[in-house]
Amino acid sequence: MKILVPVKRVIDYNVKPRVKADGSGVDLANVKMSMNPFDEISVEEAIRLKEAGKAEEIVAVSVGPAKAQETLRTALAMGADRAILVQTDDEVEPLAVAKILKAIVEAEDPGLVILGKQAIDDDSNQTGQMLAALLGWGQGTFANTVEVGDGTIDVKREIDGGLQTVQLKLPAIVTTDLRLNEPRYASLPNIMKAKSKPLDQKTPADYGVDTAPRLTTSKVTEPPKREAGEILEDVDTLVAKLKEMGVA
Amino acid sequence: MKTLVWVEHDNAQMKDATLAAVTAASKLGEVHAIVAGSGCQAVADQAAKVAGIGKVHLADDAAYANALPENVAPLIADLMGHHDAFVAPATTTGKNIAPRVAALLDVMQISDILSVEGDKTFTRPIYAGNAIATVTTSDEKLVITVRGTAFDKAATEGGSGEVEAVSGSGDAGLSAFVSEEIAKSDRPELTSAKIIVSGGRALGSSEKFEEVITPLADKLGAGIGASRAAVDAGYVPNDYQVGQTGKIVAPEVYIAIGISGAIQHLAGMKDSKTIIAINKDEDAPIFQIADYGIVADLFNAVPELTGKL
Ligand SMILES: Cc1cc2nc3c(=O)[nH]c(=O)nc-3n(C[C@H](O)[C@H](O)[C@H](O)COP(=O)(O)OP(=O)(O)OC[C@H]3O[C@@H](n4cnc5c(N)ncnc54)[C@H](O)[C@@H]3O)c2cc1C
């Protein structure tokens, strides 16, 4: 089985995002960028399935600017076998990303596509579900544990009340949640090796996908600010405050 | 505009999360609801009583019992033939189903809306809530998920919607429900609790979490939450996680204990009315947004607090 792993280049999760003064968006100039953390979990899971003999090849894909090559190199250094960059400087919405991925799935014929449940920049939480719909495949979202069987995959999902397990027919879509695994760091030799792994360059037009956005963002503002309050002297003062608030 | 609201339920009881979605939908126009499930007539009856719901479409079929998106999304896509907007609460069920519906309709979903600014214009949080975007869609049909803390809950009484049975194509043959591990507890649900006591990595073990956090929550009649670090370490189950990628809460009082205040955690609780933090590090970022803070070792301060309440 081949596994396709889409990865996105996003603001590093340790950076506090700042809204641009003109309200046009979030300032990404000179900001550290990394692989979306959920996508690292996807790459890791694909590698573990390969190591367990459940998969033969891992193809990483990114839709984004030329710099997304770095993100793909990270996936290759972790253990993906080859990569495809669908290069565009436009912002591509989840629906259009799903359409591009569908075309890649049709060309590559993977048995499994593992995506992150959400990207930490737009926080949409859509692409995997959309891809599943477009392909007519089953979807195991917010995966906590996956187990590949014979023509099926069991996905234990993190849901609001606890955990739910579903069984999907393969091929299928999985989206990762935080507890699925702990991604490895790429070792230096593997980072060197990744430089010579194949990386194909494509464009959305190669897949006949129109990436014109459906949504327009008229402004981006800062959320209401919270001010720091007071440090209380001791627990008794807190008890008094709680009583004042009527909760104790 | 005619909207179709996803009714969240367990086949017996409608879930509160539905009610914020009804309020959001009513800002767009007429509100219809879809109850998809198995043996769920009672849920349809409850939904019909919700103020503002004009009609309830009831799809009662074993294939819809567990809200598997492969089965449910085509049903909704069909119903969208005569509705203009599909509106779901941003619960794990809503997030699972809505994008599948959107793709079937060739619509770009608008996730987690905070407000309705016009027929096609909404605000939504991006970058862990560090920015709020105002977005307008050019799609004819709308698919929206609604942040529960951003809208008032519609009243559960006072409506007199009619219930109409509908049927869909049932089992798509792609997926099957296997099992569920749902913790039963008398504690208030996190997303509707008035008070939340949340514990972080500092608790150190599930035993300590139970020993320190639970008695305080019991005293206050509070829901219990946690940081990602506490969940990852196995102190508490995954559904306790508050944050950007967990639950979004906005109680009257949120007490963060041994939680540093990473942006991903703040994203899930910074709209709480009063935030109280107990942390031994006076420089912990949580104090920058807390209304009241105590700089102390939680293993002393929390039992003392519990004792004095
Ligand atoms: C993709 C992604 C998604 C994430 N999503 C979420 C999310 O949804 N929710 C979330 O919470 N996190 C999330 N995180 C994790 C987040 O970045 C932080 O790592 C996490 O919130 C830290 O948890 P913590 O505050 O419990 O632990 P720490 O940051 O380790 O803080 C522990 C705190 O306890 C204090 N402390 C230690 N001992 C004591 C004591 N004896 N008494 C009092 N105080 C003490 C310390 O001073 C410290 O401030 C996410 C991260 C990523 C990468």
Side-chain angles (χ1 to χ4, degrees):
Chain A
M1 178 168 78
K2 189 193 282 186
I3 302 180
L4 193 70
V5 188
V7 295
K8 186 179 185 184
R9 180 175 183 266
V10 299
I11 190 168
D12 187 84
Y13 81 96
N14 275 311
V15 176
K16 178 158 163 52
R18 306 248 172 238
V19 172
K20 285 193 219 165
D22 65 359
S24 64
V26 164
D27 195 359
L28 296 178
N30 305 316
V31 162
K32 184 176 180 211
M33 303 290 280
S34 299
M35 187 189 299
N36 179 41
F38 287 100
D39 302 344
E40 290 181 346
I41 298 173
S42 307
V43 175
E44 177 66 33
E45 197 62 19
I47 297 167
R48 291 189 189 187
L49 286 169
K50 188 179 170 192
E51 286 169 350
K54 306 275 189 190
E56 289 83 47
E57 192 188 22
I58 302 165
V59 182
V61 185
S62 192
V63 178
K67 284 234 164 114
Q69 277 191 49
E70 294 167 10
T71 314
L72 288 168
R73 290 291 171 205
T74 304
L76 293 170
M78 285 173 74
D81 297 294
R82 58 190 174 86
I84 303 170
L85 172 65
V86 183
Q87 195 183 324
T88 169
D89 287 326
D90 299 333
E91 223 173 281
V92 188
E93 292 172 346
L95 181 62
V97 172
K99 288 178 182 178
I100 293 169
L101 294 176
K102 174 179 188 251
I104 294 175
V105 165
E106 281 162 357
E108 293 281 345
D109 197 26
L112 193 61
V113 184
I114 309 180
L115 307 87
K117 78 165 178 180
Q118 79 192 64
I120 61 164
D121 50 2
D122 63 28
D123 282 333
S124 290
N125 196 331
Q126 299 176 1
T127 308
Q129 297 88 315
M130 287 180 159
L131 177 60
L134 296 177
L135 291 166
W137 291 6
Q139 65 187 54
T141 53
F142 325 145
N144 174 287
T145 316
V146 302
E147 209 167 308
V148 175
D150 190 11
T152 61
I153 182 166
D154 282 11
V155 182
K156 189 187 272 188
R157 310 177 50 236
E158 297 199 357
I159 61 170
D160 285 337
L163 294 162
Q164 179 198 56
T165 304
V166 293
Q167 184 167 77
L168 311 173
K169 251 192 205 151
L170 289 174
I173 304 292
V174 166
T175 78
T176 58
D177 216 320
L178 295 169
R179 260 65 63 179
L180 184 57
N181 61 49
E182 224 174 288
R184 71 193 64 191
Y185 292 101
S187 66
L188 196 56
N190 284 344
I191 293 172
M192 299 311 291
K193 252 201 286 182
K195 292 189 176 158
S196 56
K197 287 186 179 175
L199 192 159
D200 266 2
Q201 303 239 18
K202 301 278 191 185
T203 66
D206 291 335
Y207 298 104
V209 175
D210 173 11
T211 58
R214 307 287 184 85
L215 308 183
T216 48
T217 300
S218 53
K219 65 172 185 231
V220 175
T221 56
E222 280 193 25
K225 270 219 168 25
R226 276 194 94 104
E227 300 296 330
E230 41 176 321
I231 297 290
L232 306 177
E233 240 163 77
D234 51 25
V235 169
D236 290 326
T237 323
L238 178 56
V239 172
K241 291 282 180 200
L242 288 170
K243 289 200 167 133
E244 247 171 64
M245 286 187 268
V247 301
Chain B
M1 192 184 299
K2 212 193 264 181
T3 67
L4 184 68
V5 171
W6 172 260
V7 176
E8 179 118 355
H9 64 86
D10 58 6
N11 292 310
Q13 200 65 41
M14 179 177 69
K15 296 276 165 75
D16 263 12
T18 313
L19 302 171
V22 169
T23 302
S26 65
K27 293 184 192 290
L28 290 168
E30 202 181 318
V31 183
H32 287 189
I34 169 73
V35 173
S38 177
C40 55
Q41 176 73 45
V43 178
D45 294 341
Q46 292 159 27
K49 288 204 192 101
V50 172
I53 295 186
K55 188 188 241 178
V56 178
H57 301 275
L58 169 62
D60 200 327
D61 185 321
Y64 305 139
N66 300 102
L68 293 174
E70 298 81 0
N71 300 349
V72 162
L75 168 77
I76 295 163
D78 265 0
L79 287 170
M80 284 300 288
H82 40 94
H83 291 87
D84 307 297
F86 177 59
V87 181
T91 54
T92 48
T93 312
K95 289 174 188 169
N96 198 22
I97 293 169
R100 192 160 178 120
V101 172
L104 293 177
L105 299 173
D106 194 29
V107 164
M108 178 52 208
Q109 174 179 309
I110 305 164
S111 295
D112 223 12
I113 63 162
L114 300 172
S115 70
V116 177
E117 301 290 319
D119 264 9
K120 303 217 158 183
T121 304
F122 307 87
T123 61
R124 60 175 304 263
I126 53 176
Y127 291 87
N130 285 290
I132 310 294
T134 303
V135 296
T136 302
T137 179
S138 59
D139 284 324
E140 245 171 66
K141 304 248 175 195
L142 306 182
V143 175
I144 295 165
T145 61
V146 175
R147 176 166 288 201
T149 53
F151 293 87
D152 290 335
K153 292 187 172 100
T156 51
E157 294 291 338
S160 54
E162 54 171 320
V163 178
E164 185 184 300
V166 293
S167 57
S169 43
D171 190 350
L174 297 170
S175 56
F177 171 81
V178 177
S179 63
E180 216 161 52
E181 297 159 44
I182 304 286
K184 292 235 170 0
S185 135
D186 300 331
R187 224 169 260 297
E189 241 180 80
L190 264 189
T191 46
S192 49
K194 292 226 162 3
I195 306 174
I196 293 175
V197 179
S198 245
R201 192 197 310 270
L203 270 306
S205 69
S206 57
E207 293 74 26
K208 282 285 171 199
F209 197 101
E210 173 76 29
E211 192 183 308
V212 176
I213 300 294
T214 307
L216 178 59
D218 286 345
K219 269 269 166 78
L220 295 169
I224 298 185
S227 70
R228 174 195 173 177
V231 175
D232 282 5
Y235 307 165
V236 288
N238 58 276
D239 54 306
Y240 283 44
Q241 184 185 313
V242 170
Q244 178 188 16
T245 62
K247 286 196 175 125
I248 308 293
V249 301
E252 296 286 313
V253 182
Y254 187 92
I255 309 181
I257 298 173
I259 291 179
S260 61
I263 61 166
Q264 291 85 6
H265 188 79
L266 302 187
M269 45 63 81
K270 70 181 159 63
D271 293 327
S272 305
K273 193 139 172 265
T274 301
I275 296 172
I276 298 169
I278 301 177
N279 196 303
K280 71 174 180 190
D281 173 10
E282 61 180 339
D283 294 326
I286 191 79
F287 287 128
Q288 289 164 20
I289 62 143
D291 299 283
Y292 303 116
I294 290 202
V295 181
D297 188 322
L298 73 90
F299 296 105
N300 300 326
V302 178
E304 184 187 343
L305 174 61
T306 308
K308 286 179 171 164
L309 286 173

